[in-house]
């Protein structure tokens, strides 16, 4: 570019971007497909009780880190914030499952965390740490975990996430001090405050409030339309991605070429602007480094305003838009072109096989139309155009993600401007309200699109017309307290159920009664130990001596006993095994006539996996069925009773 070899500049830029993009795509397509995308919907689903395959595996962690680095460096319109949330959750999961035997990363003391509650708490803390590290917003990280990520919250979790994000802030500060001399590239620019707009004038009038309300409304409209288009694009990409890894890589390459063409080609539409007279020559234009006032193809003493946004790091592009006292830096046409380009590129980039966050594209698009509104108002407004850019970013974030408290605090920690708190609160509430009237938040849409059975905090209204026994799936498979090994093996081969009722029958009890619930994973461990008896007798004491408690602890990803691992001989099939030692004798139960709506609320608030339904009248079998997450899904309920919605209306 400095030698006016513009086509070679384009070739170099496109080739480097394409190479980095293909590297990221190969990692995602061939090593860890679960690492593609933001990762926040998957973390949110896990904390709701959905343990999908490989979403927090060590291989996913590796690909998430390096894939995100390559993806951001390749010039895609993506952020690192969502992937950092997923990265924090993966690290927490690695600790919560006792390390990884496969990669020889195990520590004995970590086995104390090998239970569902501690692992869930650790992953919540990991998600909060990811936000705190990405935005340098420790309090915002806590509130993000509370508002968006976690489905169950308790007081102990509050101080644990707060402690985690405090450690993140201290470590970040240490690295920033170490890197202040420039030894770490662009890391640490701006200190802990990434986009300082504190120097701008903060007074505002009644007319400004009308402009803020307008920003909130258009943010809600743009945000809901953005979510609609993302949903359509993801459905289209899923058809392409299902054809195999090579098609995933080709799709990434196509999007990379389009992005490079836009980022290098569109600045040619912009005119060269003389550098402001009050700036020194080393500040404008910037040549060979990141920052404001990019020279691009312009003569000495001039800059290209569109290149200052496109050919920059994401952080510097946001700083340029948030900058105060620079109302004439960008033409209206530049802001409009940049908004349209980022809006469209953000939609088509999300969903390809590259770790990609949504925060940065949304902030860039929102800040560009916010600054555009500020420039249009000009002298009619007391607010600086940089503050309008901040409010535009807030409105678009609220319209797409539908968060309020956490986004408000994150933006205030990012920009160091507490005086803007009332306006940021107002614009977030308006944009969320407007967007909610059209569709769901982007993360909720993606969870639904991936087919993850996410349980909402409230029951659907039509569930009040049904009772628990209406939706239990059959046929019910039960075991006796002392069961024949062959019967257990047959049931495990026949079904994929994860829990089985255990019923005590005469002569152990006067009449059949529900003893409890036994888990599939515990049955596999018990059968592998082969503590069988030839007679149908209770042998609980022998079994307890043979096993230790941690033998039945939740296994890490891919480490548990599988049905194929069992080697049961023909004569052992006719023997018996006592299930009492591994049976949960106090399972949660509901009577069959309980409202399905109440059962759904109980199921979610207690974070259950199985809910036993017992008969209301005596003289019947002691259990009617088992309710699982699948039984509360609208698709299942409405498939059985399509008329209940109309009846409720």
């Amino acid at each position: 570019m400095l030698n006016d070899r513009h086509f070679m500049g384009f070739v170099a830029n496109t080739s480097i971007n394409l190479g980095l993009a293909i590297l990221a795509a190969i990692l995602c397509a061939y090593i860890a497909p679960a690492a593609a995308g933001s990762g926040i919907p998957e973390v949110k689903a896990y904390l709701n009780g959905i343990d999908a395959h490989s979403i927090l595996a060590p291989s996913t962690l590796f690909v998430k880190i390096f894939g995100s680095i390559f993806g951001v460096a390749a010039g895609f319109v993506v952020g690192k914030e969502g992937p950092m949330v997923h990265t924090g959750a993966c690290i927490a999961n690695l600790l919560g499952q006792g390390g990884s035997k496969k990669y020889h990363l195990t520590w004995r003391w970590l086995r104390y965390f090998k239970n569902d509650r501690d692992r869930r708490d650790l992953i919540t803390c990991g998600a909060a740490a990811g936000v705190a590290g990405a935005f340098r917003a420790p309090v915002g990280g806590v509130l993000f975990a509370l508002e968006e990520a976690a489905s169950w919250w308790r007081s102990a979790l509050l101080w644990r996430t707060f402690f985690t994000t405090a450690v993140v802030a201290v470590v970040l500060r240490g690295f920033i001090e170490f890197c202040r001399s420039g030894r770490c590239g662009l890391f640490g620019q701006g200190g802990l405050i990434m986009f300082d707009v504190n120097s701008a004038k903060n007074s505002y009038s009644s007319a400004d409030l009308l402009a803020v309300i307008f920003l909130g409304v258009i943010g809600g409209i743009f945000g809901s339309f953005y979510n609609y288009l993302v949903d359509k694009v993801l459905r289209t990409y899923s058809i392409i991605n299902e054809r195999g890894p090579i098609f995933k890589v080709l799709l990434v390459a196509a999007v990379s070429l389009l992005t490079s063409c836009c980022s290098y080609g569109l600045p040619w539409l912009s005119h060269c602007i003389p550098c402001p007279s009050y700036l020194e020559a080393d500040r404008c234009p910037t040549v060979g480094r990141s920052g404001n006032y990019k020279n691009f193809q312009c003569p000495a003493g001039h800059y290209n305003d569109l290149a200052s946004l496109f050919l920059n790091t994401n952080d510097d592009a946001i700083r340029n838009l948030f900058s105060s006292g620079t109302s004439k830096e960008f033409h209206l046409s530049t802001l409009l072109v940049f908004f349209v380009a980022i809006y469209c590129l953000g939609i088509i980039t999300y969903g390809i096989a590259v770790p990609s966050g949504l925060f940065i594209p949304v902030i860039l698009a929102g800040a560009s139309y916010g600054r555009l509104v500020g420039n249009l108002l000009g002298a009619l407004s007391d607010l600086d155009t940089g503050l309008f850019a901040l409010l535009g970013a807030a409105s678009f974030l609220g319209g797409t993600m539908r968060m309020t408290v956490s986004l408000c605090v994150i933006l205030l920690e990012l920009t160091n401007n507490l005086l803007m708190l009332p306006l940021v609160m107002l614009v977030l509430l308006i944009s969320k309200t407007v967007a909610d009237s059209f569709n769901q938040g982007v993360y909720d849409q993606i969870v639904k699109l991936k087919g993850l059975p996410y349980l909402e905090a409230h029951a659907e209204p039509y569930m009040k017309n049904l009772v628990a026994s209406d939706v239990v799936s059959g046929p019910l498979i039960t075991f006796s307290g002392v069961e024949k090994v062959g019967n257990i093996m047959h049931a495990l081969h026949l079904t994929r159920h994860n829990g089985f009722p255990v019923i005590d029958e005469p002569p152990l009890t006067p009449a059949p009664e529900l003893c409890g619930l036994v888990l599939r994973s515990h049955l596999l461990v018990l059968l592998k130990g082969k503590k069988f008896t030839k007679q149908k007798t209770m042998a609980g004491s022998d079994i307890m001596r043979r096993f230790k408690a941690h033998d039945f602890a939740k296994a890490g990803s891919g480490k548990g006993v599988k049905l194929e691992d069992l080697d049961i001989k023909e004569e052992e099939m006719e023997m018996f095994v006592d299930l009492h030692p591994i049976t949960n004798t106090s399972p949660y139960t509901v009577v069959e006539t309980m409202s399905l709506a109440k059962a759904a609320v109980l199921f979610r608030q207690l974070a259950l996996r199985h809910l036993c339904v017992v008969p209301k009248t005596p003289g019947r079998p002691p259990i009617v069925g088992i309710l699982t997450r699948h039984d509360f899904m609208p698709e299942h309920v409405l498939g059985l009773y399509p008329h209940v919605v109309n009846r409720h209306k």
Side-chain angles (χ1 to χ4, degrees):
M1 292 297 293
L2 295 176
N3 296 324
D4 293 330
R5 298 171 63 193
H6 300 139
F7 180 73
M8 290 307 298
F10 169 71
V11 171
N13 178 60
T14 305
S15 301
I16 293 169
N17 286 350
L18 185 61
L20 290 167
I22 289 174
L23 272 176
I26 289 172
L27 286 174
C28 270
Y30 289 96
I31 298 177
S38 165
I40 292 177
E42 288 83 353
V43 173
K44 184 176 177 177
Y46 182 91
L47 294 175
N48 190 257
I50 305 162
D51 194 358
H53 179 65
S54 294
I55 60 171
L56 300 175
S59 58
T60 304
L61 170 62
F62 170 80
V63 173
K64 203 76 182 184
I65 293 171
F66 290 98
S68 180
I69 291 169
F70 294 144
V72 172
F76 283 123
V77 183
V78 298
K80 61 185 181 299
E81 287 70 21
M84 283 193 70
V85 173
H86 197 180
T87 300
C90 287
I91 294 170
N93 181 66
L94 193 64
L95 299 175
Q97 68 181 27
S100 172
K101 287 182 181 177
K102 181 179 178 181
Y103 300 102
H104 306 291
L105 299 170
T106 54
W107 300 274
R108 287 182 61 84
W109 60 273
L110 287 176
R111 70 175 185 266
Y112 297 112
F113 300 112
K114 289 183 71 173
N115 60 79
D116 285 326
R117 190 180 73 172
D118 282 340
R119 190 185 293 192
R120 191 169 66 233
D121 285 1
L122 279 170
I123 288 168
T124 305
C125 292
V131 173
F135 290 111
R136 305 174 199 174
V139 180
V142 176
L143 293 173
F144 174 86
L146 169 61
E147 184 177 7
E148 183 66 14
S151 292
W152 300 282
W153 196 264
R154 51 200 182 89
S155 57
L157 192 54
L158 183 64
W159 71 261
R160 288 175 182 174
T161 51
F162 188 71
F163 173 78
T164 306
T165 57
V167 171
V168 171
V170 171
V171 172
L172 266 175
R173 168 62 71 183
F175 276 117
I176 288 171
E177 289 298 324
F178 175 77
C179 296
R180 196 173 289 278
S181 61
R183 285 176 285 188
C184 311
L186 299 174
F187 175 76
Q189 300 255 330
L192 279 179
I193 309 299
M194 291 177 73
F195 313 119
D196 195 344
V197 296
N198 207 27
S199 58
K201 183 182 175 184
N202 290 299
S203 61
Y204 46 88
S205 62
S206 303
D208 293 327
L209 288 177
L210 293 175
V212 170
I213 292 170
F214 172 72
L215 273 179
V217 172
I218 63 171
I221 295 170
F222 283 150
S224 59
F225 188 57
Y226 190 88
N227 291 1
Y228 172 79
L229 293 177
V230 164
D231 182 71
K232 296 300 180 187
V233 168
L234 286 176
R235 291 180 189 276
T236 305
Y237 283 177
S238 65
I239 298 170
I240 300 171
N241 292 336
E242 283 171 2
R243 301 183 67 179
I246 188 65
F247 286 91
K248 294 182 180 181
V249 176
L250 290 174
L251 179 61
V252 170
V255 174
S256 174
L257 289 172
L258 177 61
T259 304
S260 297
C261 290
C262 288
S263 61
Y264 193 92
L266 289 176
W268 291 92
L269 302 176
S270 181
H271 299 291
C272 293
I273 304 172
C275 288
S277 57
Y278 57 84
L279 289 179
E280 299 172 5
D282 62 334
R283 287 191 60 195
C284 180
T286 55
V287 179
R289 60 187 171 87
S290 185
N292 283 28
Y293 308 109
K294 298 292 284 186
N295 182 249
F296 198 56
Q297 89 290 10
C298 295
H302 292 70
Y303 71 96
N304 186 311
D305 56 349
L306 201 49
S308 301
L309 297 175
F310 271 118
L311 298 175
N312 235 326
T313 64
N314 290 330
D315 288 352
D316 275 329
I318 294 171
R319 284 192 189 96
N320 293 350
L321 290 168
F322 282 4
S323 59
S324 55
T326 56
S327 58
K328 304 296 184 183
E329 182 180 349
F330 301 105
H331 283 302
L332 294 178
S333 58
T334 295
L335 294 170
L336 182 62
V337 169
F338 185 70
F339 166 67
V340 172
I342 293 296
Y343 192 92
C344 296
L345 287 174
I347 290 167
I348 66 168
T349 305
Y350 193 82
I352 61 175
V354 168
S356 52
L358 278 170
F359 275 98
I360 290 298
V362 169
I363 290 174
L364 281 170
S368 55
Y369 75 68
R371 193 174 180 99
L372 179 62
V373 170
N375 281 349
L376 287 172
L377 289 175
L380 298 176
S381 173
D382 294 332
L383 281 176
D384 188 88
T385 52
L387 297 180
F388 269 108
L390 170 62
L391 293 172
S395 72
F396 201 21
L397 283 167
T400 53
M401 299 178 185
R402 315 294 161 84
M403 293 181 277
T404 51
V405 180
S406 55
L407 281 179
C408 183
V409 173
I410 286 171
L411 286 170
L412 293 179
E413 288 184 282
L414 273 175
T415 57
N416 191 30
N417 197 332
L418 196 60
L419 294 174
M420 291 296 290
L421 176 63
L423 296 185
V424 173
M425 290 172 66
L426 180 64
V427 80
L428 280 169
L429 287 169
I430 293 172
S431 61
K432 172 181 164 53
T433 304
V434 170
D436 278 341
S437 61
F438 294 103
N439 51 28
Q440 290 180 302
V442 66
Y443 296 135
D444 294 318
Q445 282 191 180
I446 294 169
V447 166
K448 188 174 181 181
L449 185 64
K450 288 178 178 287
L452 300 171
Y454 189 87
L455 279 177
E456 299 292 346
H458 55 84
E460 296 292 341
Y462 56 77
M463 289 186 178
K464 296 175 184 176
N465 300 323
L466 300 169
V467 295
S469 61
D470 288 335
V471 298
V472 288
S473 302
L476 183 65
I477 296 175
T478 62
F479 294 138
S480 298
V482 182
E483 185 60 83
K484 187 183 286 188
V485 174
N487 292 344
I488 298 175
M489 289 295 293
H490 177 70
L492 294 178
H493 276 292
L494 192 66
T495 71
R496 297 178 63 188
H497 297 168
N498 284 296
F500 300 90
V502 177
I503 296 174
D504 278 335
E505 298 170 327
L508 295 176
T509 54
E513 64 179 42
L514 179 64
C515 173
L517 196 71
V518 64
L519 295 180
R520 183 188 191 91
S521 58
H522 293 178
L523 283 171
L524 292 170
V525 173
L526 184 64
L527 291 173
K528 191 174 183 182
K530 294 193 174 185
K531 292 300 290 184
F532 308 145
T533 59
K534 291 185 178 180
Q535 304 298 324
K536 194 172 183 178
T537 57
M538 296 179 68
S541 56
D542 292 339
I543 292 174
M544 294 304 289
R545 283 194 295 268
R546 168 69 176 78
F547 295 99
K548 294 188 173 85
H550 63 76
D551 292 331
F552 296 98
K554 183 172 182 179
S557 52
K559 292 194 298 189
V561 180
K562 298 181 176 63
L563 190 57
E564 300 79 39
D565 300 333
L566 301 182
D567 182 23
I568 307 294
K569 296 180 175 58
E570 193 65 37
E571 61 270 17
E572 290 172 332
M573 289 287 196
E574 299 302 318
M575 299 175 75
F576 295 89
V577 62
D578 187 3
L579 301 182
H580 289 97
I582 62 167
T583 300
N584 173 15
T585 55
S586 55
Y588 285 95
T589 61
V590 294
V591 71
E592 61 181 337
T593 54
M594 175 182 267
S595 163
L596 186 61
K598 285 185 179 179
V601 172
L602 178 72
F603 190 92
R604 188 187 189 277
Q605 289 185 347
L606 294 176
L608 301 179
R609 189 174 188 178
H610 305 98
L611 185 60
C612 297
V613 181
V614 296
K616 185 177 182 180
T617 54
R620 294 167 58 193
I623 183 165
V624 175
I626 292 182
L627 288 171
T628 63
R629 178 180 293 266
H630 165 74
D631 297 313
F632 294 106
M633 290 296 105
E635 297 81 8
H636 173 70
V637 178
L638 296 177
L640 293 172
Y641 303 99
H643 59 280
V644 292
V645 176
N646 296 328
R647 186 169 63 175
H648 180 77
K649 290 178 181 177

